[in-house]
Amino acid sequence: QVQLVESGGGLVQSGGSLGLSCRASGRSFSVYTMAWFRQAPGNERDIVATISWSGTNTNYADSVKGRFTISRDNTKNTVYLQMNSLKPEDTAVYYCAANPRGGATADYWGQGTQVTVSS
């Protein structure tokens, strides 16, 4: 089992920045690909970014490329999402996940943290 706890959400103005953290506990964190997903009201949960176990490989949704950066620190069992140039359409609940398996599925999920971007 892996337990994931997100932090860092909040309210920010359009064009601003926000950083999210996700701390893992339980089974070895460093072996897992990690991901951030988001879900806006009335929408499906969508993947935002992924990072390989070593941190070498990252992938981003087209909507966030160039604005968001995913990173991890395996010594701290933590994955991060730095969000810059935020837009109102980035408003959603952001979820951390371990071992994404395609679509909106993953082996382990955090509880989610709300990000609200005001115009």
Side-chain angles (χ1 to χ4, degrees):
Q1 288 287 337
V2 174
Q3 292 79 43
L4 303 172
V5 178
E6 300 100 335
S7 61
L11 173 64
V12 63
Q13 288 189 333
S14 180
S17 298
L18 205 59
L20 305 181
S21 299
C22 172
R23 180 168 174 82
S25 60
R27 294 186 64 181
S28 180
F29 167 80
S30 62
V31 304
Y32 290 108
T33 293
M34 297 297 295
W36 287 96
F37 290 77
R38 68 185 181 186
Q39 187 168 19
N43 290 358
E44 295 182 347
R45 188 171 298 188
D46 294 322
I47 197 162
V48 174
T50 63
I51 187 166
S52 62
W53 67 271
S54 64
T56 302
N57 297 312
T58 58
N59 288 284
Y60 298 91
D62 288 343
S63 58
V64 306
K65 279 182 182 176
R67 300 188 298 121
F68 290 12
T69 302
I70 189 171
S71 61
R72 67 190 297 163
D73 186 341
N74 289 342
T75 66
K76 296 181 179 180
N77 285 0
T78 302
V79 63
Y80 305 95
L81 186 68
Q82 179 62 39
M83 304 181 292
N84 299 327
S85 301
L86 282 160
K87 305 174 182 180
E89 51 263 44
D90 294 317
T91 295
V93 177
Y94 284 70
Y95 297 91
C96 172
N99 207 27
R101 294 184 176 272
T105 62
D107 285 353
Y108 304 101
W109 293 93
Q111 82 286 356
T113 185
Q114 177 70 46
V115 172
T116 302
V117 184
S118 64
S119 57

